[in-house]
Amino acid sequence: MCATCGCGHGEVRIEGVTHDTDHFKGFRPAAHAPDVSPARMVQIEQDILSKNNDLAGANRKFFAMRGIFALNMVSSPGSGKTSLLVRTIDDLKGKLPVAVIEGDQETSNDAERIRATGAAAVQINTGRGCHLDAHMVMGALEQLKPAPASVLFIENVGNLVCPAAFDLGEAARVALFSVTEGEDKPLKYPDIFASADLVLINKIDLLPHLSYDMAKAEANVRRVNPRARIMKLSATSGEGLAEWYQWLADPSARAAA
Amino acid sequence: MHEMSLCEGIISVLEAEAKKQNFARVKTVWLEVGPFSGAEPEAMKFCFDAVTRGTLAENARLEIVTPEGQGFCGTCMKTVAIAERYDPCPTCGAVLLQVTGGEQLRIKELEVV
């Protein structure tokens, strides 16, 4: 019998069972190990993502040394990330140096769309992977060599679940969702919206054709993330883009949220 | 299915610890997976078995402990248990709690030989 709690050997620990949680504080599984076993217990207390976080820290240092403003852009597929970037690069041409890292499972279509604007872009294909990680971004930076004092957009794989956990070393995380996706996206995918610094609600030019409740959408963002700034815009009509450009170019505009 | 990457992260932590703490095999891994960590315990178990094959943790047992989600209620000025990020305070009904627990994704302890 276990000396910690009196439970039998081999008892399965099940999610949500308070018994586990109760003696987790003084967690001593050593008491479960057979006395004669040569096995020993090792306390490690390590974050599973520690390796990624270390590499993200190195990326962050790389950006800081060069004055690069790096953004991790997350959204579902088809919400308009690449279209917004193409429009942004065109409109800011000559005003703000821009470079792009594109993440997709397959194809270099998005990087080609960006390069057609004249901006530097590197495509990462994740293959079976569903998100970018700090190591992939580090590899792309060697290829891309972004200019000092530029804005670096890192367009993550279109996925509202997996990218949430992976710090890439970005200065800010931008979550995008479009009005055609419904008002409840933030509630369905709270982890990613909770981690965003800025939430962009895109395709507002389509509002006249939809029964979309903007107040409800904003309230849903607030429910999972009270601190994020929210902007409404359209990469097609250009509505709302001025605020986005000001946020990109001016650190004081970002501070005054 | 980013649980596959997370399990690969576990292996790399184990390999580094094996050198540091001088062990050859891992028999049991205790993980702490919070309800707001973005990882699904069942998927972690599935991926763990696949990823550990041919490594120092082959056939190791994976034990997952789930700490409770916690939020701080600014109205009651106390920490309360919540099931979802956006749950209101169970005492006063206030919304916009600050999440203070449940994002853990950690290896707590190992049984090694």
Side-chain angles (χ1 to χ4, degrees), chain B residues 23-43:
Chain B
F23 57 83
R25 306 275 307 162
V26 177
K27 291 179 71 180
T28 314
V29 177
W30 277 269
L31 288 188
E32 192 181 10
V33 178
F36 314 139
S37 67
E40 190 50 53
E42 283 309 311

Side-chain angles (χ1 to χ4, degrees), chain A:
Chain A
M1 193 185 280
C2 163
T4 307
C5 65
C7 63
H9 278 301
E11 182 179 306
V12 179
R13 291 166 190 279
I14 301 167
E15 178 189 0
V17 176
T18 46
H19 175 76
D20 279 357
T21 329
D22 283 348
H23 75 114
F24 189 55
K25 284 194 183 80
F27 199 50
R28 286 188 296 275
H32 291 262
D35 298 334
V36 292
S37 166
R40 64 191 162 102
M41 303 307 301
V42 175
Q43 304 274 345
I44 65 170
E45 294 282 344
Q46 271 223 47
D47 200 306
I48 295 173
L49 288 160
S50 56
K51 193 177 164 195
N52 182 74
N53 293 343
D54 289 347
L55 296 173
N59 289 346
R60 194 163 277 122
K61 199 178 276 178
F62 175 97
F63 299 137
M65 282 169 65
R66 291 161 182 79
I68 293 169
F69 182 48
L71 299 174
N72 181 1
M73 310 276 295
V74 292
S75 82
S76 52
S79 60
K81 287 190 298 300
T82 314
S83 297
L84 176 66
L85 291 187
V86 166
R87 172 84 190 233
T88 300
I89 294 165
D90 277 338
D91 288 350
L92 297 180
K93 208 165 269 179
K95 295 177 196 152
L96 199 62
V98 169
V100 180
I101 294 173
E102 282 288 342
D104 280 299
Q105 191 178 13
E106 295 295 344
T107 86
S108 57
N109 295 355
D110 282 359
E112 282 157 21
R113 281 176 70 188
I114 299 292
R115 282 193 284 264
T117 67
V122 165
Q123 179 80 47
I124 298 172
N125 285 136
T126 55
R128 68 186 170 90
C130 45
H131 57 271
L132 294 180
D133 64 33
H135 188 246
M136 296 176 198
V137 169
M138 190 175 268
L141 287 172
E142 283 173 24
Q143 296 297 313
L144 187 63
K145 298 184 178 65
S150 59
V151 174
L152 174 68
F153 294 103
I154 306 168
E155 187 181 330
N156 219 311
V157 178
N159 177 341
L160 283 174
V161 183
C162 307
F166 295 84
D167 183 7
L168 305 180
E170 71 267 19
R173 190 172 289 192
V174 181
L176 189 95
F177 72 119
S178 59
V179 294
T180 51
E181 294 172 62
E183 300 93 346
D184 57 354
K185 270 279 153 79
L187 301 184
K188 287 174 170 170
Y189 302 96
D191 293 333
I192 209 136
F193 283 95
S195 71
D197 300 290
L198 172 64
V199 174
L200 301 178
I201 303 179
N202 192 24
K203 305 190 188 180
I204 57 169
D205 55 302
L206 298 177
L207 283 174
H209 310 285
L210 305 167
S211 55
Y212 188 81
D213 185 341
M214 184 60 82
K216 199 167 158 191
E218 289 186 70
N220 287 340
V221 173
R222 288 271 161 263
R223 244 177 109 182
V224 298
N225 187 340
R227 70 180 174 90
R229 181 128 167 220
I230 302 173
M231 293 181 196
K232 293 159 270 183
L233 48 79
S234 164
T236 303
S237 70
E239 199 181 343
L241 290 179
E243 191 186 4
W244 160 240
Y245 295 156
Q246 197 195 2
W247 186 89
L248 287 175
D250 182 2
S252 64
R254 297 196 282 273

Side-chain angles (χ1 to χ4, degrees), chain B residues 30-53:
Chain B
W30 277 269
L31 288 188
E32 192 181 10
V33 178
F36 314 139
S37 67
E40 190 50 53
E42 283 309 311
M44 288 295 284
K45 284 179 192 162
F46 176 83
C47 295
F48 183 79
D49 287 342
V51 164
T52 50
R53 255 171 242 150

Side-chain angles (χ1 to χ4, degrees), chain B:
Chain B
M1 196 63 135
H2 69 298
E3 282 82 0
M4 198 65 99
S5 312
L6 295 176
C7 287
E8 284 165 356
I10 294 173
I11 301 296
S12 68
V13 170
L14 297 184
E15 284 169 349
E17 286 297 317
K19 280 192 200 121
K20 225 188 305 175
Q21 308 219 35
N22 194 31
F23 57 83
R25 306 275 307 162
V26 177
K27 291 179 71 180
T28 314
V29 177
W30 277 269
L31 288 188
E32 192 181 10
V33 178
F36 314 139
S37 67
E40 190 50 53
E42 283 309 311
M44 288 295 284
K45 284 179 192 162
F46 176 83
C47 295
F48 183 79
D49 287 342
V51 164
T52 50
R53 255 171 242 150
T55 73
L56 78 171
E58 185 158 12
N59 297 322
R61 200 156 52 94
L62 181 64
E63 295 280 4
I64 297 180
V65 180
T66 310
E68 72 175 3
Q70 290 182 332
F72 183 78
C73 175
T75 309
C76 301
M77 295 303 283
K78 64 172 187 181
T79 299
V80 294
I82 49 173
E84 301 291 345
R85 274 188 189 278
Y86 46 79
D87 275 355
C89 172
T91 309
C92 74
V95 291
L96 304 184
L97 304 187
Q98 190 189 342
V99 172
T100 53
E103 294 179 328
Q104 301 92 325
L105 196 52
R106 296 169 67 79
I107 307 173
K108 294 295 290 182
E109 199 161 28
L110 307 173
E111 183 188 19
V112 300
V113 283

